[in-house]
Amino acid sequence: MTAPRIALGAFMLESNAHSPIATRAEFAANYLQYGQDILRDLASDAPSGPKTLSGFWESMNASGPWQPLPLLGAAVSASGPIDHAFFLEVADGFESRLRAAMPVDGVFLSLHGAAIGTGEVDPDGVILERVRRVVGPDIPIIATLDLHANVSRRMVDAASVLVAYRTNPHVDMAERGEESAGLMREILAGTKPTAAYVKLPLIPPSVTQNTKSGPYADIITYGQSKVDARVMNVSVVSGFSLGDTQKNGMSITVTTRNDAALAQSLAKDIARTCWNDRHRYVPKLTTLEESTKLAVACGRDPQKPALLFADVADNPGGGGRGNTVWILEAFHKAGVEGALLGVFYDPTLAAEAHTLGQGGRFKARFNRDETHPLSGRFEAEAEVEGLHHGSIVGRRGISAGHTIMLGPMALLRVGGIRVVVISVRQQCKDTAMFEVFGLDIAAARSVVVKSRGHFRAAFDLLFSDDRIVEVDVPGLTTPVLTRVPYRDVPRPIFPLDPEMSWSP
Ligand SMILES: [Zn+2]
């Protein structure tokens, strides 16, 4: 096979079951591309597509001749369940474009793995299954998954290899694409992959899933210690706690080089080890009252080390609206000085600021068009200190070197707080989101970020872990799982049913 024909595609959505529906328009504002446009984007200086796809494409280019056959790419960071009509458009698009591209020697898909839909419980499984149906049983299908994927049996059965991220914040996305390219070359040369899968009745709260240290770091390391000449890939997937489906829960997928018994025994062993460690997945949050006191003190005393406050319950990267007002309101009322807050999703407010122009003073009405009750409303005198078109390039962290679409942006000064307002919902995952306005983050006395954890890969040089405060406020992405209105997760499940027992 001199130049294998490899079909490429992407479908990435993390669905918070309690967030508003993910629409076609939302995908189009983030990443929605077809055919050759996908390759043009990959070849650009700052691609807007998934880093896994970039990693796969670059590694395939570097490892020999091949013929990429781009299908379609649809990605949005996190939202609610996907609108069913649009999901059918995506699934039909994959199938018809793949049929037109046949024959193919392999398929690579950048998936997230935690999508749900208004008319389909397992969109990722459906896409993999439909692709499998077109290519037949013998063609390799390799898919990357976010480590927040809620993996289903259907996904494992339809794919040849599932390759999940191993870092949180996700700084290894390009590497996992490269790994997939290596596995694709190997399978094309004759290796037969065999996978085993175990689902655990365990939902670790989002803030307990960091991979620098802690229980999740330990189990990832344990899993990787099993990778050798017989074991192709071990994916220890923490899952997305806010999916609220039968697919929720951590999962272990082990793919071996044609050794089914080994895959089974390893998957069970890793699952058992993980289960035995379940009591370590406990969030440590700080109340809003205490956080406000800390921010006031930082503003008053320049000798104190500056603090970063993470609004973990309103993380757009987990389907949060990116516009809850609770921290802004409390900090403003208490007279906090020298603070930065970002990024606040309010297209109406950003548009108003653009109309007023730089230097405009007005009463800023946050969330006048928002209807979700957890978002709240807030009004205050404000001044427009900066305006930006909102297409920026990530500088450090999970989107470094990639284009981030934020829509029209505005920098508002609200008392002692400077607020960055955006028009396309995104989490605060890059320092560039402040720096495009000329702000010096190092000079701020406190910084509030709407992000659960990905900010850590961008703000790490400015804020060590001991200067990060995870604030306990209401929001769609609260890590306090007893407050999540679960309906559909399988029960019993830990930690909702703390006394339960289980073995793989
Ligand atoms: Zn993730």
Side-chain angles (χ1 to χ4, degrees):
M1 195 181 299
T2 48
R5 293 165 55 81
I6 309 294
L8 299 176
F11 173 64
M12 300 188 70
L13 168 66
E14 182 181 77
S15 294
N16 183 320
H18 309 110
S19 298
I21 292 166
T23 60
R24 186 182 207 287
E26 194 176 1
F27 278 88
N30 283 273
Y31 175 75
L32 182 58
Q33 292 186 348
Y34 300 89
Q36 294 300 317
D37 281 348
I38 294 172
L39 297 186
R40 273 188 281 276
D41 180 63
L42 284 168
S44 70
D45 291 339
S48 58
K51 281 196 165 185
T52 42
L53 196 54
S54 296
F56 181 84
W57 182 75
E58 283 170 19
S59 186
M60 287 299 289
N61 288 342
S63 58
W66 71 305
Q67 193 181 344
L69 305 163
L71 307 175
L72 76 84
V76 60
S77 74
S79 187
I82 185 170
D83 169 65
H84 192 54
F86 180 57
F87 173 64
L88 290 178
E89 181 189 326
V90 169
D92 292 345
F94 269 109
E95 190 169 336
S96 62
R97 284 166 182 271
L98 183 56
R99 282 190 195 285
M102 291 294 281
V104 304
D105 300 301
V107 180
F108 173 74
L109 298 175
S110 285
L111 300 179
H112 182 288
I116 54 178
T118 57
E120 174 52 58
V121 291
D122 186 11
D124 298 279
V126 168
I127 286 174
L128 282 166
E129 221 167 47
R130 287 178 69 166
V131 167
R132 173 59 74 200
R133 214 181 299 148
V134 175
V135 300
D138 300 324
I139 297 295
I141 301 172
I142 301 180
T144 48
L145 296 178
D146 193 286
L147 61 69
H148 296 110
N150 289 325
V151 183
S152 66
R153 165 69 62 189
R154 195 180 194 179
M155 289 160 69
V156 179
D157 287 348
S160 307
V161 194
L162 295 174
V163 177
Y165 312 160
R166 303 202 277 268
T167 57
N168 186 26
H170 308 327
V171 292
D172 66 333
M173 293 185 280
E175 271 176 61
R176 298 288 72 78
E178 288 165 23
E179 179 184 344
S180 302
L183 295 176
M184 183 66 82
R185 293 280 187 196
E186 183 186 338
I187 295 169
L188 290 173
T191 299
K192 188 178 177 320
T194 304
Y197 153 87
V198 176
K199 168 76 78 181
L200 288 88
L202 168 60
I203 308 181
S206 60
V207 294
T208 66
Q209 299 174 16
N210 290 344
T211 53
K212 200 157 101 181
S213 61
Y216 193 40
D218 294 347
I219 194 67
I220 294 251
T221 303
Y222 182 68
Q224 290 317 298
S225 75
K226 305 295 182 187
V227 175
D228 60 17
R230 297 172 302 164
V231 179
M232 273 185 154
N233 179 275
V234 172
S235 287
V236 177
V237 179
S238 59
F240 182 50
S241 59
L242 302 160
D244 199 359
T245 69
Q246 289 290 315
K247 299 195 306 166
N248 272 57
M250 281 184 87
S251 64
I252 316 294
T253 305
V254 174
T255 311
T256 60
R257 297 184 167 88
N258 204 17
D259 189 335
L262 176 65
Q264 268 300 338
S265 67
L266 257 184
K268 282 187 182 174
D269 169 63
I270 298 166
R272 197 176 298 114
T273 306
C274 185
W275 177 253
N276 290 341
D277 211 22
R278 65 193 177 281
H279 293 286
R280 286 173 68 206
Y281 291 90
V282 180
K284 294 179 191 68
L285 304 177
T286 303
T287 64
L288 180 57
E289 192 183 6
E290 179 61 21
S291 302
T292 308
K293 277 185 201 158
L294 290 170
V296 168
C298 281
R300 283 189 188 144
D301 182 357
Q303 301 307 315
K304 278 191 187 299
L307 293 176
L308 183 147
F309 297 89
D311 191 349
V312 295
D314 188 30
N315 170 29
R321 300 293 296 152
N323 64 7
T324 67
V325 301
W326 315 121
I327 298 178
L328 173 60
E329 182 180 51
F331 279 21
H332 183 261
K333 196 172 162 195
V336 169
E337 290 291 334
L340 301 178
L341 186 150
V343 278
F344 195 104
Y345 169 65
D346 192 333
T348 311
L349 188 58
E352 186 178 14
H354 277 257
T355 304
L356 288 166
Q358 180 113 10
R361 289 167 185 271
F362 69 124
K363 175 166 272 189
R365 291 183 290 144
F366 291 84
N367 288 344
R368 85 194 74 162
D369 293 336
E370 174 63 57
T371 54
H372 202 286
L374 285 180
S375 294
R377 295 207 172 162
F378 173 68
E379 287 186 9
E381 294 302 320
E383 179 181 347
V384 182
E385 287 197 336
L387 298 167
H388 195 271
H389 53 73
S391 173
I392 71 171
V393 177
R395 199 174 71 75
R396 183 175 174 78
I398 66 165
S399 295
H402 270 227
T403 297
I404 309 170
M405 310 296 276
L406 297 167
M409 301 170 73
L411 174 66
L412 304 182
R413 189 177 57 75
V414 185
I417 308 166
R418 286 185 166 81
V419 184
V420 173
V421 182
I422 55 171
S423 303
V424 173
R425 214 169 42 84
Q426 266 289 358
Q427 70 178 304
C428 190
K429 59 181 177 181
D430 203 290
T431 53
M433 293 177 172
F434 292 107
E435 289 161 345
V436 289
F437 292 105
L439 293 167
D440 178 8
I441 301 171
R445 300 304 304 136
S446 57
V447 178
V448 183
V449 296
K450 287 193 175 285
S451 173
R452 179 270 315 154
H454 287 325
F455 69 88
R456 289 174 188 266
F459 291 79
D460 57 339
L461 299 180
L462 298 160
F463 294 94
S464 50
D465 288 350
D466 58 321
R467 286 165 52 201
I468 293 171
V469 181
E470 293 175 333
V471 188
D472 186 7
V473 279
L476 282 166
T477 61
T478 179
V480 185
L481 299 185
T482 49
R483 283 187 215 147
V484 178
Y486 284 113
R487 294 177 299 253
D488 294 329
V489 295
R491 302 296 285 263
I493 200 160
F494 191 87
L496 302 179
D497 303 297
E499 304 304 329
M500 69 173 290
S501 60
W502 177 79
S503 69

